[in-house]
């Protein structure tokens, strides 16, 4: 173990800071160098032995220096210590069955991984390597492995959102994963250009792997609405399983006129569907996947509708369900022969599900009965299930340590050239789009729901309200009192202490909502709008309506930890050496689904809408206010104002090009210039 002095000499003789933590002296953030210089320096300091474990700022390193000017934070290949880092180590090998699934959902453009959260520090290149290694492992074992994605590939990160049309740079990188089945999310359908990108480019490329059973797009050539991808996919796996797959989006109504979404109750009446379900062709397993929560009590879940229709014809055929949209880790049991997984969001979680029970008597399966030398699934869907099938499920933290552990590799040997190439592509896109440019130094972390909505550390009172108050001002009307209203679902991620970058702007506030307004609304009426909004229907399922993931933090009976206890519990020592905060999931099978044990994060519910007020007179209410709001909620605002207010009274408040992507950066430059020259990164 190198003593701290040596480490400090390695870490302190450079001008730049790395986003990594020096593993031999974790109490300081390592100050690394581009790999070449790191090597030279380490050898000169007699620390060459450190190199394999040192968190190297590789050639594509992410280093930010004293930011007396707008400096650059780049994406770092987080090289974890060669030995499993207990804080991030998975707790057990995966249970490999005859049919195995790796599942991503709601990636929302997070292809660089999480630069500020080590739990989720792997990038898309790491996932390319991992997925290819896992496919090879399955082949070597003589079993099937299907890679599945359930949509929402846009809105939430600079890699997908910093281009004129979202997805222009991110989709070619996303496409580097050889998915077996993909389907569409609502975030592919809000903006017509994105819907056409999926229809004209990616649906063509992915062919029948892209299953969009209830979503059509307008074909500008034929003048007709046509299914974006395949309505269903009937195929045989490598090991002989006959699969019938449906990809179903929830009953989404917020789409642009470039697309049409068929309700599931209507979809199951379509002839192609009834033909598929009643086919004479043999079906060994249904894969019912889609951008839909899997919890059966979730009102948005339309998978259940399709499940019931399948069961009318196939009462015991296995139905494997994979869902998304509600951004939580979840696992639900539908019946003795059907289980469902949902795999979180934002490249934080990789879902794993496996099953065994196929034989020549009930299927065309010709693989091994059970893979040798590894754990196998053992759990029936539920106690007493009358079924030959047993299952496993796991939620993997999206980091290199996890990927290396589950492929039995080492830090040095893990990467494939293809994975490193994709990492390079992510880095280049980030460079080209200047995503690492630093605009300020956030003095603390502000979260969306880890503290109550009225807590000063909550992102709404802590950042969003002061930011829109200070920045969303029409200079010609700055003397007017004003109310500014938005939906809380517009704010997409916590804001971490440390450098606030151009990328962080899209991570926190990715949408291009124009700020609209109605001038001189009587305050007595305007002040009733927010309470009505927060009582009424949420605008297209805002986060507030999202089912709160059940975990030890939201269900006190499960050993609730306050945030303070959380901090104290940070050093809790259990199965792993150190248990850090992160997902602690409770699902239909209990609390053993998380691959890496965590202490859980408090998750408070929040209202559907927030409001800022500005330029109010001292000590009294104004007579009238300018009522400013996101164009996303215009119809709700007008309906809450009543019949006297109509769309022709609405106009752009600043100008129609100033959107909700434009208020955070000016605020960062205004409010967070302290410590910019040496902005400590609080690596989560
Ligand atoms: N202000 C805006 N909010 C939006 C917009 N598009 C979506 N949203 C919010 O996101 C959720 C759905 O997100 P998901 O990842 O769960 O599918 C939706 O309910 C809104 O709250 C937008 O353009 N502007
Ligand atoms: Zn989503
Ligand atoms: Zn969604």
């Amino acid at each position: 173990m190198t003593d701290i002095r040596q480490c400090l000499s390695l870490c302190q003789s450079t001008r730049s800071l790395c986003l990594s933590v020096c593993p031999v002296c974790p109490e300081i953030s390592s100050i690394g160098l581009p790999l070449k210089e790191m090597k030279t320096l380490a050898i000169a300091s007699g620390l060459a032995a450190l190199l394999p474990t040192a968190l190297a700022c590789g050639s594509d390193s992410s280093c930010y220096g004293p930011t007396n000017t707008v400096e650059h934070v780049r994406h770092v290949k987080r090289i974890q210590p060669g030995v499993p880092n207990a804080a991030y180590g998975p707790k057990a090998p995966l249970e490999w069955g005859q049919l195995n699934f790796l599942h991503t959902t709601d990636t929302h453009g997070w292809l660089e991984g999480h630069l500020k959260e080590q739990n989720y520090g792997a990038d898309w290149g790491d996932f390319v390597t991992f997925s290819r290694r896992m496919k090879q492992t399955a082949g070597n074992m003589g079993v099937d492995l299907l890679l599945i994605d359930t949509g929402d590939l846009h809105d939430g990160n600079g890699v997908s959102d910093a281009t004129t049309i979202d997805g222009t740079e991110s989709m070619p990188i996303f496409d580097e994963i050889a998915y077996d089945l993909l389907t569409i999310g609502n975030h592919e359908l809000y903006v017509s250009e994105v819907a056409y990108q999926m229809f004209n480019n990616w649906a063509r490329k992915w062919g029948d792997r892209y299953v969009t059973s209830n979503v059509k797009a307008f074909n500008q050539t034929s003048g007709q609405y046509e299914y974006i991808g395949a309505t269903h996919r009937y195929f045989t796996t490598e090991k002989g399983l006959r699969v019938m797959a449906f990809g179903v989006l929830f009953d989404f109504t917020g789409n642009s006129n470039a697309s049409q979404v068929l309700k599931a109750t209507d979809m199951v009446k379509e002839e192609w569907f009834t033909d598929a379900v009643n086919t004479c062709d043999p079906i060994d397993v249904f894969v019912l996947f889609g951008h839909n929560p899997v919890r059966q009590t979730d009102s948005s879940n339309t998978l259940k509708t399709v499940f019931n229709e399948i069961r009318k014809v196939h009462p015991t055929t296995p139905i494997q369900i994979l869902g998304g949209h509600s951004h939580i880790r979840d696992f639900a049991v539908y019946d003795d022969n059907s289980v469902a997984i949902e795999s979180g969001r934002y490249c934080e979680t990789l879902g794993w599900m496996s099953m065994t029970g196929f034989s020549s008597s009930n299927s065309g399966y010709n693989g091994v009965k059970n893979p040798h030398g590894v754990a196998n699934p053992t759990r029936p869907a539920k106690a007493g299930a009358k079924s030959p099938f047993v299952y496993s499920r796991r939620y993997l933290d999206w980091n290199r340590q996890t990927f290396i552990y589950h492929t039995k590799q080492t830090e040095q040997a893990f990467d494939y050239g293809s994975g490193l190439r994709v990492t390079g592509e992510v880095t280049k896109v980030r460079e080209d789009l200047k995503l690492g440019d630093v605009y300020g130094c956030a003095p603390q972390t502000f979260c969306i729901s880890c503290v109550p909505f009225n807590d000063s550390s909550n992102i709404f009172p802590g950042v969003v309200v002061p930011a829109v108050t200070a920045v969303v001002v029409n200079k010609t009307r700055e003397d007017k009192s004003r109310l500014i209203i938005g939906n809380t679902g517009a704010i997409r991620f916590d804001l971490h202490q440390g450098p606030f970058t151009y990328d962080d702007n899209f991570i926190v506030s990715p949408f291009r909502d124009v700020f609209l307004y109605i001038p001189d609304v009587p305050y007595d009426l305007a002040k009733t709008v927010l309470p009505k909004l927060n009582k009424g229907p949420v605008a297209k399922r805002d986060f507030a309506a999202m089912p709160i993931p059940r975990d030890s933090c939201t269900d006190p009976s499960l050993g609730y930890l306050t945030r303070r206890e959380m901090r104290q519990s940070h050093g809790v020592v259990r199965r792993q050496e150190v248990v850090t905060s992160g997902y602690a999931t409770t699902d239909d099978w209990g609390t053993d689904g998380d691959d890496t044990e965590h202490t859980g994060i408090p998750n408070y519910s929040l209202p559907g809408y927030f409001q800022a007020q500005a330029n109010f007179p001292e000590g009294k209410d104004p007579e009238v206010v300018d009522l400013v709001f996101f164009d996303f909620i215009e119809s709700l605002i007008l309906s809450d104002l009543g019949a006297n207010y109509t769309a022709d009274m609405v106009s752009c408040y600043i100008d129609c090009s100033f959107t909700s992507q434009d208020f955070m950066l000016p605020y960062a430059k205004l409010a967070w210039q302290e410590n910019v020259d040496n902005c400590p990164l609080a690596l989560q």
Side-chain angles (χ1 to χ4, degrees):
M1 168 80 164
T2 310
D3 75 42
I4 185 116
R5 280 187 308 285
Q6 281 185 316
C7 181
L8 284 171
S9 71
L10 169 67
C11 295
Q12 283 173 349
S13 57
T14 167
R15 286 173 295 96
S16 72
L17 280 176
C18 262
L19 292 181
S20 50
V21 173
C22 185
V24 289
C25 35
E27 54 279 18
I28 63 158
S29 69
S30 109
I31 301 159
L33 289 163
L35 207 49
K36 197 165 47 45
E37 291 170 69
M38 170 84 98
K39 279 192 175 118
T40 314
L41 186 78
I43 293 163
S45 321
L47 300 171
L50 275 187
L51 272 179
T53 57
L55 292 173
C57 292
S59 55
D60 60 354
S61 67
S62 293
C63 296
Y64 65 98
T67 44
N68 40 8
T69 57
V70 169
E71 286 284 333
H72 215 67
V73 167
R74 286 205 305 277
H75 153 239
V76 64
K77 173 68 68 194
R78 192 168 306 290
I79 296 183
Q80 301 284 11
V83 291
N85 175 335
Y88 302 100
K91 52 185 184 257
L94 295 170
E95 296 95 338
W96 281 86
Q98 296 167 325
L99 175 59
N100 306 277
F101 299 84
L102 278 174
H103 178 221
T104 55
T105 192
D106 296 87
T107 53
H108 283 279
W110 279 82
L111 305 184
E112 81 235 19
H114 293 243
L115 300 185
K116 301 175 180 178
E117 298 165 282
Q118 295 192 77
N119 279 354
Y120 319 115
D123 67 24
W124 206 251
D126 298 319
F127 182 42
V128 165
T129 296
F130 180 69
S131 61
R132 296 184 186 196
R133 286 188 176 281
M134 292 295 273
K135 276 278 192 183
Q136 280 149 8
T137 302
N140 298 339
M141 283 180 182
V143 297
D144 280 319
L145 170 66
L146 296 180
L147 282 171
I148 297 185
D149 180 82
T150 41
D152 270 12
L153 314 180
H154 303 81
D155 294 337
N157 193 278
V159 175
S160 57
D161 303 344
T163 44
T164 307
I165 297 180
D166 290 358
T168 306
E169 295 287 354
S170 59
M171 283 308 299
I173 296 172
F174 176 87
D175 182 43
E176 291 278 355
I177 295 291
Y179 283 104
D180 297 284
L181 291 168
L182 310 97
T183 192
I184 202 161
N186 50 304
H187 283 267
E188 280 71 76
L189 301 173
Y190 285 110
V191 175
S192 296
E193 292 82 351
V194 174
Y196 286 131
Q197 175 194 93
M198 299 312 293
F199 183 39
N200 298 325
N201 304 354
W202 300 105
R204 303 280 163 270
K205 185 163 192 295
W206 294 338
D208 64 357
R209 292 185 294 138
Y210 200 42
V211 186
T212 59
S213 302
N214 63 330
V215 184
K216 298 182 177 181
F218 185 71
N219 182 325
Q220 291 155 311
T221 313
S222 68
Q224 303 293 323
Y225 282 93
E226 298 166 6
Y227 282 103
I228 290 184
T231 51
H232 59 294
R233 185 184 177 201
Y234 178 67
F235 65 103
T236 303
T237 65
E238 302 244 320
K239 296 303 168 195
L241 288 174
R242 285 76 59 103
V243 179
M244 177 66 81
F246 301 118
V248 185
L249 173 65
F250 69 94
D251 291 350
F252 179 51
T253 57
N255 52 306
S256 76
N257 58 14
S259 63
Q260 286 177 345
V261 179
L262 223 55
K263 287 185 183 307
T265 46
D266 296 329
M267 182 200 90
V268 297
K269 297 180 186 120
E270 292 286 300
E271 191 178 348
W272 68 262
F273 179 79
T274 48
D275 288 351
V277 170
N278 291 285
T279 178
C280 301
D281 295 331
I283 299 173
D284 301 324
V285 55
F286 284 92
V287 174
L288 172 54
F289 70 118
H291 198 71
N292 246 297
V294 296
R295 191 123 303 275
Q296 296 174 66
T297 51
D298 188 308
S299 58
S300 309
N301 175 354
T302 58
L303 295 169
K304 185 75 176 166
T305 302
V306 185
F307 170 85
N308 291 338
E309 291 304 313
I310 295 171
R311 275 287 178 253
K312 285 177 185 170
V313 181
H314 302 269
T316 59
T317 303
I319 303 175
Q320 288 296 94
I321 301 174
L322 304 100
H325 184 57
S326 58
H327 290 195
I328 63 172
R329 293 177 173 187
D330 201 2
F331 180 80
V333 176
Y334 278 56
D335 70 19
D336 288 2
N337 297 291
S338 180
V339 294
I341 194 168
E342 193 173 339
S343 304
R345 63 169 195 178
Y346 298 176
C347 295
E348 294 174 341
T349 302
L350 182 55
W352 167 268
M353 201 162 46
S354 66
M355 66 187 292
T356 282
F358 296 106
S359 66
S360 53
S361 63
N362 65 10
S363 71
Y365 182 68
N366 58 38
V368 298
K369 185 171 178 350
N370 246 336
H372 307 300
V374 291
N376 302 134
T378 56
R379 291 172 82 160
K382 55 186 177 183
K386 293 180 180 42
S387 163
F389 294 100
V390 286
Y391 303 89
S392 84
R393 60 82 173 91
R394 195 83 66 84
Y395 311 108
L396 278 64
D397 281 0
W398 190 282
N399 62 55
R400 280 176 63 90
Q401 189 64 33
T402 295
F403 293 173
I404 288 164
Y405 175 84
H406 287 303
T407 51
K408 298 188 173 64
Q409 288 302 311
T410 63
E411 182 52 63
Q412 291 66 28
F414 171 72
D415 293 296
Y416 275 169
S418 52
L420 292 173
R421 172 177 53 79
V422 172
T423 293
E425 287 165 9
V426 172
T427 304
K428 181 163 183 335
V429 166
R430 287 181 47 79
E431 297 286 347
D432 295 348
L433 296 174
K434 300 188 181 316
L435 295 179
D437 281 5
V438 177
Y439 284 76
C441 182
Q444 66 164 88
T445 291
F446 296 94
C447 63
I448 290 176
S449 59
C450 77
V451 294
F453 187 70
N454 58 4
D455 186 298
S456 62
S457 292
N458 184 288
I459 198 169
F460 290 97
V463 178
V464 177
V465 166
V468 297
T469 304
V471 174
V472 184
V473 185
N474 175 331
K475 293 298 178 212
T476 66
R477 299 183 67 84
E478 59 186 343
D479 60 327
K480 300 282 187 185
S481 300
R482 54 192 173 275
L483 290 179
I484 303 165
I485 298 177
N487 60 306
T488 50
I491 303 302
R492 304 288 289 179
F493 198 68
D494 297 348
L495 193 156
H496 286 288
Q497 177 186 353
F500 186 82
T501 64
Y502 185 45
D503 192 15
D504 288 319
N505 181 54
F506 298 100
I507 286 170
V508 171
S509 182
F511 302 120
R512 294 183 178 86
D513 293 349
V514 177
F515 286 94
L516 301 179
Y517 88 117
I518 301 173
D520 303 325
V521 177
Y523 179 64
D524 284 349
L525 173 62
K527 71 183 181 185
T528 68
V529 172
L530 182 71
K532 287 177 193 165
L533 285 171
N534 279 327
K535 256 210 300 290
V538 279
K540 301 165 194 109
R541 278 196 76 268
D542 279 332
F543 274 87
M546 277 199 176
I548 297 173
R550 300 174 303 154
D551 61 27
S552 58
C553 297
T554 49
D555 183 342
S557 65
L558 290 168
Y560 174 81
L561 289 166
T562 64
R563 193 152 178 70
R564 185 185 312 282
E565 284 163 346
M566 183 72 58
R567 286 204 189 97
Q568 288 154 3
S569 75
H570 192 77
V572 170
V573 180
R574 291 188 195 146
R575 267 177 289 194
Q576 297 153 219
E577 272 174 52
V578 173
V579 179
T580 59
S581 64
Y583 288 102
T585 311
T586 302
D587 58 31
D588 280 2
W589 274 6
T591 57
D592 63 351
D594 298 306
D595 186 47
T596 297
E597 192 175 357
H598 293 293
T599 49
I601 300 172
N603 192 339
Y604 294 85
S605 66
L606 65 162
Y609 302 85
F610 67 88
Q611 175 174 286
Q613 66 180 47
N615 203 44
F616 269 43
E618 276 298 311
K620 65 174 182 153
D621 289 343
E623 289 295 314
V624 294
V625 294
D626 284 353
L627 184 60
V628 184
F629 47 88
F630 287 160
D631 66 352
F632 187 71
I633 58 174
E634 178 183 7
S635 59
L636 294 173
I637 296 282
L638 288 174
S639 84
D640 284 341
L641 284 173
N644 297 335
Y645 288 83
T646 54
D648 59 350
M649 302 159 94
V650 178
S651 52
C652 296
Y653 176 59
I654 294 181
D655 71 51
C656 297
S657 65
F658 184 87
T659 76
S660 51
Q661 271 187 7
D662 299 321
F663 72 87
M664 280 300 302
L665 293 177
Y667 181 71
K669 289 181 80 85
L670 203 64
W672 295 337
Q673 290 311 304
E674 225 176 291
N675 285 334
V676 158
D677 289 350
N678 179 22
C679 181
L681 178 81
L683 257 189
Q684 308 282 323

